[in-house]
Amino acid sequence: MREYRPPIRDMRFVLQELLDAEAHYQKHGFEEVDTDTINMILEEGGRFTSEVLTPLSQAGDAVGCILENDEVTTPPGFRDAYQQYVANGWTGMTADPGLGGQGLPSSLGEVMNEMLSSSDVAWGMYPGLSRDAIYTIQAHGTPEQKEVYLKRLIEGTWTGTMCLTESHCGSDLGMLRSRATPQADGSYRITGEKIFISAGEHDMAENIVHLVLARLPDAPGGTKGISLFIVPKYLPDAQGARGARNQLKCGSLEHKMGIKANATCVMVFDEATGFLIGEPNQGLRCMFVMMNAARMGVSMQGLGLAEASFQSAVTYARDRLQMRSLSGPKCPDKPADPIIVHPDVRRMLLTAKSLVEGCRALGYYTATLMDAEHAPVDASEQKEIEMLLGLLTPICKAFITESGFECVNLGLQVFGGHGFIKEWGMEQLVRDSRITTIYEGTTGIQALDLLGRKVLQNQGESLKLFTKQIHLLCKSNTDNAELGPLLEQLAEVNREWGDLTMKIGVSAMKNREEVGSASVDYLMYSGYVALAYFWARMALVAQQKLAAGDDDADFYRAKITTARFYFKRVLPRTRSLAVSMVSGADVLLELDEEHFMFN
């Protein structure tokens, strides 16, 4: 059975030593969150995820969810684990204290999300979607809706979903057909069919609150005519408690490659009673609160799955005996050397280590921007935070999940043939990870958002905010003899990032297809540069700790060594991306559609 040990030492390093989380929380309205609070969250979250959830993962994958008589049964142990999760107060971790939440920062919620994803990502999706629903109702719900729905979502007795797409439209929500008919009492009748609805039906909570996109009768076409509705499985009674069954059901469960223990449903709404959230025809704007939160949540899924795979791969590589080292036996008393001595196994493990730890720094930093976004700051700082968050969110969602999928595949490869066998749990991580690059916006959609909307649309102003941070870091450490080569390399790709952006922008003014042609390469390039920035920062912190004589010297030396590996073996990937992203759209579009295949 696969095991998971939360990487608490590295989490503390990123939060406390790299990002100075305690000072950040003090500045942004979380005065009660100190080092002890952070450590308690890490320790208790680590205990729950490793001891309670991890043992459920492989068994849940084997059993999956069962649909009978419109009701879904989750795998054995899932419901009991959820009751423990609720009893421990995790469901309201980042929610408003005035509504029963703990009021902790969003960034700590993302740390917990990473641990949930490492232990059992399918289980973690049930409360994860509730958190996103909480954010949406908190931002756009009426006082009455907050009183009825938020309190129960926060306490965990009700869970939430997001019902967006339909079979004919995919990510193009402007094509959706679900309709909402106004009623005399102010409610609406919702009719339509939604697909790919995670946690759409289950037995873990007493009610499920669906947030559903639909069209009013007089709505304009496209995305401008979409409204958002609360459509609960059970309608609240006069006291707000669970009442009569609503006219909706799970029509079927999707047969999936991975995350089999999460009920991914086709949801059928047949004149179901719903309640408008926000203004008519502004549903997509309201839903963006949930979608943005979900994008960060999925990035943490990618990170968590990569961490789980990396841990298993390192343990296996240290134990598995096979062949002798090319430079002579390293364990002459054994029949063969452990495979961790072989350079190619080292290549795979160090690639995964450098990506996992780099993505953790990028993801946690972006999550701290989420904390600051809603904190009392002056107008100019608020704008900068929003621009940085807008820039980094699509990078996190796409780059971390793409890197995560690479890491789980590397982990399986370390196991060799055993990785392909179910008992070891590695093939499940590959299957579970594959969806992270797809849902909540594919890598291609995130790339278009980054390059088209977040960079070119504002003439690169958001990008300049981030590249300025990189420039200042490099400039302020020019006399650092040990890390100088890394910082010179970072400064070079930072300058190139701006040059490439300008080159693509000029081409796009002549042909808009150039944006789509360059976008994915551009996003991946951006991710590698962002990780280089955070690896440089982590190496500088480690260097300072070593100079101060810190007791944890092995940890800090490993940080510097891994940083060097990243700069030598991973960051050079930007060279090919820099060439391909400006190669032009013509080569993608010149082949006639009928010539893609010949029969």
Side-chain angles (χ1 to χ4, degrees):
M1 182 179 70
R2 182 174 62 84
E3 296 182 352
Y4 166 62
R5 300 174 302 280
I8 292 176
R9 179 63 186 93
D10 199 59
M11 291 173 165
R12 285 175 176 157
F13 172 77
V14 175
L15 286 170
Q16 298 171 347
E17 299 175 56
L18 179 70
L19 302 178
D20 195 5
E22 186 170 359
H24 161 79
Y25 295 144
Q26 298 297 313
K27 177 181 177 182
H28 293 288
F30 302 99
E31 290 83 2
E32 297 180 359
V33 180
D34 55 15
T35 298
D36 289 341
T37 305
I38 295 170
N39 289 336
M40 181 190 69
I41 294 294
L42 295 177
E43 295 290 343
E44 290 302 312
R47 184 202 61 78
F48 175 79
T49 53
S50 62
E51 296 178 11
V52 179
L53 292 188
T54 302
L56 301 178
S57 180
Q58 287 177 262
D61 177 72
V63 174
C65 295
I66 299 170
L67 173 63
E68 290 181 344
N69 301 320
D70 300 335
E71 301 287 339
V72 168
T73 302
T74 54
F78 269 44
R79 182 180 172 85
D80 290 342
Y82 183 71
Q83 297 308 314
Q84 290 187 52
Y85 187 79
V86 170
N88 291 336
W90 294 111
T91 53
M93 180 179 174
T94 59
D96 183 354
L99 294 165
Q102 297 182 40
L104 291 170
S106 296
S107 54
L108 286 181
E110 298 301 343
V111 174
M112 183 63 181
N113 193 12
E114 181 199 331
M115 291 191 280
L116 291 173
S117 301
S118 290
S119 56
D120 190 347
V121 67
W123 187 96
M125 291 169 67
Y126 291 99
L129 286 158
S130 298
R131 185 194 64 169
D132 299 340
I134 288 168
Y135 287 153
T136 304
I137 297 174
Q138 190 165 290
H140 298 289
T142 65
E144 294 78 13
Q145 289 169 344
K146 293 177 182 179
E147 179 67 26
V148 171
Y149 295 99
L150 271 189
K151 284 189 174 182
R152 290 162 178 82
L153 286 167
I154 290 169
E155 69 185 14
T157 53
W158 295 5
T159 62
T161 76
M162 51 195 300
C163 297
L164 281 67
T165 196
E166 301 171 7
S167 59
H168 61 280
C169 65
S171 297
D172 188 356
L173 297 177
M175 296 173 62
L176 68 81
R177 298 171 185 157
S178 294
R179 64 181 187 273
T181 306
Q183 303 298 298
D185 63 357
S187 66
Y188 295 80
R189 290 285 184 264
I190 311 298
T191 300
E193 186 176 282
K194 300 289 185 177
I195 64 169
F196 305 152
I197 309 307
S198 302
E201 173 59 42
H202 58 81
D203 59 353
M204 290 167 61
E206 68 175 34
N207 200 4
I208 303 172
V209 180
H210 301 284
L211 299 189
V212 183
L213 290 178
R215 292 188 183 281
L216 295 168
D218 58 350
T223 57
K224 294 181 180 179
I226 300 174
S227 299
L228 181 62
F229 301 87
I230 296 177
V231 188
K233 176 181 177 180
Y234 292 94
L235 294 165
D237 62 17
Q239 287 73 43
R242 190 182 88 166
R245 185 74 153 82
N246 207 349
Q247 296 299 307
L248 60 93
K249 66 178 183 179
C250 172
S252 65
L253 290 175
E254 308 282 10
H255 302 285
K256 300 171 295 182
M257 175 180 177
I259 55 169
K260 293 186 176 182
N262 191 272
T264 306
C265 303
V266 175
M267 294 301 302
V268 180
F269 300 87
D270 184 12
E271 298 289 307
T273 299
F275 308 94
L276 181 70
I277 303 181
E279 298 298 319
N281 304 324
Q282 296 295 312
L284 206 55
R285 185 177 69 85
C286 296
M287 186 61 88
F288 267 126
V289 174
M290 191 175 199
M291 292 166 68
N292 282 331
R295 286 196 291 174
M296 278 305 300
V298 174
S299 72
M300 291 298 104
Q301 289 180 354
L303 172 60
L305 288 160
E307 172 66 37
S309 173
F310 171 66
Q311 287 189 16
S312 294
V314 171
T315 300
Y316 183 83
R318 295 177 69 182
D319 293 339
R320 173 69 169 175
L321 303 180
Q322 193 167 320
M323 300 186 294
R324 288 297 186 186
S325 167
L326 295 175
S327 58
K330 297 297 184 287
C331 298
D333 58 324
K334 296 179 179 179
D337 288 329
I339 63 173
I340 199 168
V341 307
H342 303 312
D344 190 57
V345 174
R346 289 291 186 110
R347 174 191 62 83
M348 292 187 284
L349 293 176
L350 278 166
T351 298
K353 179 178 173 63
S354 66
L355 288 173
V356 166
E357 294 178 12
C359 285
R360 180 171 293 121
L362 168 62
Y364 287 13
Y365 171 78
T366 305
T368 63
L369 294 175
M370 295 168 63
D371 301 332
E373 184 183 24
H374 302 293
V377 292
D378 61 68
S380 62
E381 185 178 359
Q382 182 75 27
K383 182 180 178 182
E384 288 191 1
I385 290 168
E386 291 174 356
M387 291 176 71
L388 275 174
L389 189 56
L391 176 80
L392 294 178
T393 298
I395 295 176
C396 283
K397 197 284 172 183
F399 183 83
I400 294 179
T401 58
E402 291 285 352
S403 298
F405 187 59
E406 177 183 354
C407 291
V408 297
N409 278 283
L410 288 172
L412 187 149
Q413 190 76 10
V414 169
F415 275 72
H418 290 292
F420 208 66
I421 305 302
K422 284 194 173 184
E423 284 78 3
W424 292 92
M426 300 304 285
E427 60 85 35
Q428 180 189 344
L429 294 175
V430 174
R431 289 186 289 105
D432 286 350
S433 178
R434 188 63 187 87
I435 188 59
T436 62
T437 66
I438 299 173
Y439 59 12
E440 305 311 330
T442 63
T443 298
I445 288 174
Q446 303 299 328
L448 281 173
D449 178 46
L450 171 67
L451 181 56
R453 295 183 64 244
K454 303 300 171 53
V455 175
L456 297 181
Q457 192 168 296
N458 65 13
Q459 290 76 50
E461 289 304 311
S462 56
L463 178 63
K464 291 173 186 175
L465 286 174
F466 192 63
T467 57
K468 183 179 179 180
Q469 291 186 22
I470 300 175
H471 171 72
L472 292 175
L473 179 76
C474 296
K475 184 179 178 180
S476 61
N477 290 278
T478 54
D479 58 347
N480 191 312
E482 181 184 12
L483 300 178
L486 277 61
L487 294 165
E488 289 174 10
Q489 193 176 347
L490 176 58
E492 181 181 343
V493 292
N494 192 44
R495 287 191 296 269
E496 185 181 51
W497 196 3
D499 294 341
L500 290 166
T501 303
M502 185 172 295
K503 187 175 293 188
I504 295 168
V506 171
S507 298
M509 288 190 288
K510 301 173 185 177
N511 179 7
R512 291 298 295 171
E513 298 288 4
E514 295 291 342
V515 178
S517 170
S519 58
V520 170
D521 289 338
Y522 183 87
L523 184 144
M524 295 303 292
Y525 182 101
S526 303
Y528 287 123
V529 178
L531 254 63
Y533 167 63
F534 285 108
W535 267 116
R537 286 183 58 182
M538 288 189 285
L540 287 165
V541 171
Q543 185 185 58
Q544 292 163 7
K545 293 290 185 178
L546 287 170
D550 194 284
D551 292 338
D552 206 356
D554 288 344
F555 176 85
Y556 296 116
R557 280 194 289 266
K559 278 293 175 190
I560 294 174
T561 300
T562 308
R564 288 200 189 98
F565 173 88
Y566 180 84
F567 275 83
K568 287 185 177 182
R569 298 297 295 258
V570 180
L571 185 59
R573 296 178 183 185
T574 56
R575 296 173 186 169
S576 61
L577 291 168
V579 174
S580 61
M581 77 173 74
V582 295
S583 62
D586 291 347
V587 71
L588 298 177
L589 302 174
E590 64 183 351
L591 186 65
D592 292 337
E593 293 176 17
E594 60 269 23
H595 294 157
F596 269 87
M597 59 186 295
F598 294 90
N599 294 325

